[in-house]
Amino acid sequence: MSHTPPPAPGERFNFAQHLFQANAERGARAAFIDDLGTLSYAALEERARRLATGLRAQGIRREERVLLLMQDCNDWPVSFLGAIYAGLVPVAVNTLLTADDYAYMLEHSRAQAVLVSGTLLPILTAAMVKSDHEVGKVIVARPQAPLHPSEVELEAYLDAHTPMARPAGTGADDPAFWLYSSGSTGRPKGTVHSHANPYWTCELYGKGVLKLREDDVCFSAAKLFFAYGLGNGLTFPMSVGATTLLMAERPTPEAVFKRWTGAGGAPKPTVFYGAPTGFAGMLAHPALPARDAVAMRLTSSAGEALPAEIGERFKRHFGVDIVDGIGSTEMLHIFLSNTPEKVRYGTTGWPVPGYEIELRGEDGGPVPDGEPGDLYIHGPSAAMMYWGNRAKTRDTFQGGWTKSGDKYVKNSDGSYTYSGRSDDMLKVSGIYVSPFEVEATLVQHPAVLEAAVIGKIDADGLTKTKAYVVLKNGVSADEAELKAFVKDRLAPYKYPRYIEFVTDLPKTATGKIQRFKLRELENNGR
């Protein structure tokens, strides 16, 4: 990949204002289209600036946090960019979590307000009851029921304020927003990104690798609260003046096909961003659209390693390659990738220009090509820190290099092949799942003595969670009962897809469960 470095943003830089200025001549153009209507670039800017005025008038000060718990819809970019324009820090959170998770995030971020979808207001209310932290104002988009006096409807809130005249005088290195990153142990980590970080991902990947265009219509199965989805569906399209389709519902094959084929009159996407699990499900679906029913010119994948066979099948059917890459919450978007011009299935591709990659061994030194090593990244979009977590910050962000937690092998052609995780974390449907968390939940069941969770590779070459369970003597439980038990207590995507009952688990002399032995059993077909 040839590479001319883009200019660095100035010392004084507000990312929301940067996007608004980039689209100043595109006022009438559709920026976002959701299930209820179209939001033009001009209307987006006006609404975001009205929100900025309202939040500041409420007494929320520069760099204070605002929780953003919202389904993908036209109000999401208004909320995110409005807070950033005001110099506040939106904390975009996963919409699939529990009330306990949100209670923790409210307290940890010390959010001074919440922007929430009406459909998610009940779970937010439950979280606020559990939390000791007091939120100043709850602003509800598209409420489903009459609101409490402490809550205000977003439309009324916007109508009550005039657009903020100029953006907060933020700097390129000032905090702009947070995303939460899951860890192998403990609570999620508040990952702090600067105003410059999304600028770099837009320039280096959205424009530099994907070469997005103004006439593109973008559609991402990954939601906006993910780092991957945020680039796909907001920062990248806006950086070139493209249009984005937003979908509140789950990205089931049926829901995705509806958008691909322009059902309902919306324009067909020319760019689609997915994850391997989703691609596998769509290719296996009887309603898979024909090639001439879609308008895709570019397809992207991330979240988990793409099995070569899925990419090849997709290319045969649609005539379009899946451009696979790897990114992370800590690096904000993709730093190692195939390109539209050069795809080698079975690999994650080559370093994105502007990023350096190193594979290191146990001693911290470089490993020879062909041997697995821990993946480290050096690049301009690395997060500033994990909020309030100095130890994890120091472990991950090391002197300009970011430790990914992934193991890779460098191939003779300079491409890289995924070789697993450095810890026990599992990537399931593109979302991290901690084995420890699932195990700790399973053992709360009165019939369970012990549990160990590993990844099991399914028929499509994708990772799914499998639990090995030891029951207490004289007590019984079945697979469906234990799956339901976990679903009731954790976010639904975390439940084990497979459960195997065993009489004991392999352990070290000190009693620590040896997951690697279970993985060996699984990989060797028992």
Side-chain angles (χ1 to χ4, degrees):
M1 302 179 207
S2 62
H3 177 57
T4 303
E11 184 178 337
R12 189 181 174 102
F13 182 75
N14 181 288
F15 182 67
Q17 171 68 354
H18 166 73
L19 291 183
F20 295 153
Q21 285 181 331
N23 295 291
E25 305 302 315
R26 298 188 179 100
R29 182 170 174 76
F32 295 92
I33 302 173
D34 70 6
D35 299 329
L36 297 183
T38 298
L39 182 68
S40 69
Y41 273 99
L44 168 61
E45 178 176 352
E46 183 189 359
R47 288 167 68 81
R49 288 169 57 187
R50 284 177 183 272
L51 179 66
T53 299
L55 293 171
R56 290 296 290 273
Q58 203 175 297
I60 306 175
R61 295 169 297 183
R62 284 271 304 272
E63 297 183 15
E64 289 187 323
R65 272 74 61 196
V66 176
L67 199 79
L68 175 51
L69 173 59
M70 203 174 275
Q71 308 281 8
D72 280 20
C73 66
N74 290 347
D75 295 323
W76 206 107
V78 169
S79 302
F80 184 75
L81 295 173
I84 290 175
Y85 192 88
L88 311 181
V89 179
V91 179
V93 298
N94 188 330
T95 56
L96 305 173
L97 302 179
T98 65
D100 285 339
D101 293 321
Y102 299 131
Y104 169 75
M105 291 169 175
L106 286 168
E107 292 177 3
H108 180 248
S109 67
R110 299 193 279 281
Q112 297 300 299
V114 182
L115 290 146
V116 62
S117 289
T119 51
L120 295 167
L121 184 57
I123 197 165
L124 172 71
T125 303
M128 291 170 66
V129 169
K130 290 171 177 280
S131 169
D132 292 331
H133 175 69
E134 289 188 17
V135 173
K137 182 76 75 175
V138 175
I139 302 162
V140 185
R142 308 178 186 183
Q144 307 288 298
L147 298 179
H148 185 270
S150 65
E151 300 159 353
V152 61
E153 197 243 339
L154 176 62
E155 288 301 320
Y157 195 75
L158 297 178
D159 288 346
H161 296 97
T162 56
M164 184 178 276
R166 60 179 184 274
T170 51
D173 289 338
D174 285 351
F177 60 95
W178 293 15
L179 302 170
Y180 274 97
S181 175
S182 299
S184 57
T185 58
R187 293 288 200 173
K189 304 182 291 293
T191 310
V192 183
H193 280 287
S194 71
H195 282 262
N197 285 3
Y199 167 83
W200 287 114
T201 61
C202 290
E203 295 297 317
L204 297 176
Y205 196 71
K207 296 179 183 179
V209 173
L210 298 182
K211 298 181 173 58
L212 295 179
R213 310 187 304 232
E214 181 182 13
D215 62 350
D216 276 321
V217 177
C218 299
F219 174 47
S220 175
K223 301 299 186 183
L224 292 169
F225 61 75
F226 289 115
Y228 179 49
L230 180 63
N232 300 344
L234 196 158
T235 64
F236 290 1
M238 286 193 69
S239 74
V240 298
T243 297
T244 299
L245 303 180
L246 293 177
M247 178 176 79
E249 65 188 295
R250 286 179 54 245
T252 61
E254 296 90 343
V256 170
F257 297 160
K258 184 178 169 185
R259 274 75 185 179
W260 279 3
T261 57
K268 295 180 182 181
T270 59
V271 179
F272 175 70
Y273 309 86
T277 297
F279 285 117
M282 290 185 285
L283 287 169
H285 198 279
L288 182 70
R291 181 186 295 200
D292 61 4
V294 304
M296 285 179 289
R297 69 169 189 87
L298 175 65
T299 306
S300 160
S301 178
E304 56 191 323
L306 177 75
E309 194 256 348
I310 290 177
E312 289 158 358
R313 281 169 54 205
F314 191 91
K315 173 70 179 286
R316 282 196 300 271
H317 186 85
F318 289 109
V320 177
D321 277 307
I322 299 178
V323 178
D324 186 35
I326 181 177
S328 67
T329 306
E330 288 75 12
M331 293 303 297
L332 189 55
H333 213 274
I334 290 172
F335 47 80
L336 182 61
S337 183
N338 288 271
T339 74
E341 303 82 16
K342 188 178 181 184
V343 170
R344 183 182 167 194
Y345 286 124
T347 78
T348 312
W350 295 263
V352 171
Y355 294 88
E356 296 175 64
I357 299 294
E358 282 188 5
L359 299 183
R360 301 179 187 174
E362 299 281 325
D363 60 356
V367 300
D369 289 2
E371 292 187 15
D374 292 313
L375 178 69
Y376 285 74
I377 312 103
H378 189 287
S381 62
M384 302 169 72
M385 66 175 125
Y386 297 128
W387 183 265
N389 196 334
R390 198 173 185 191
K392 289 282 188 187
T393 297
R394 285 176 162 175
D395 185 52
T396 300
F397 305 103
Q398 302 179 7
W401 290 87
T402 301
K403 182 170 75 174
S404 75
D406 296 293
K407 286 189 180 291
Y408 266 82
V409 172
K410 186 177 182 182
N411 304 309
S412 57
D413 64 353
S415 65
Y416 289 77
T417 300
Y418 181 66
S419 185
R421 286 287 298 173
S422 308
D423 55 23
D424 283 311
M425 290 293 284
L426 301 172
K427 260 290 182 73
V428 180
S429 301
I431 311 177
Y432 278 120
V433 175
S434 167
F436 307 98
E437 185 180 25
V438 181
E439 291 161 1
T441 303
L442 280 166
V443 297
Q444 293 171 28
H445 189 283
V448 174
L449 177 66
E450 293 177 315
V453 172
I454 64 165
K456 174 184 171 71
I457 306 300
D458 69 8
D460 289 312
L462 299 165
T463 301
K464 299 290 183 279
T465 38
K466 177 172 181 176
Y468 288 85
V469 172
V470 179
L471 296 176
K472 294 174 183 173
N473 282 334
V475 187
S476 64
D478 63 24
E479 190 172 340
E481 180 183 347
L482 294 185
K483 287 180 178 179
F485 183 83
V486 175
K487 282 184 181 178
D488 284 346
R489 286 157 180 78
L490 297 179
Y493 62 85
K494 296 180 180 180
Y495 83 94
R497 302 312 199 269
Y498 309 97
I499 293 178
E500 182 171 336
F501 294 100
V502 293
T503 54
D504 56 26
L505 296 171
K507 293 178 185 156
T508 64
T510 57
K512 185 178 179 183
I513 294 171
Q514 295 173 306
R515 286 189 193 81
F516 75 92
K517 288 194 174 179
L518 295 172
R519 285 194 288 266
E520 287 172 1
L521 281 173
E522 196 63 52
N523 294 337
N524 294 332
R526 310 192 65 77

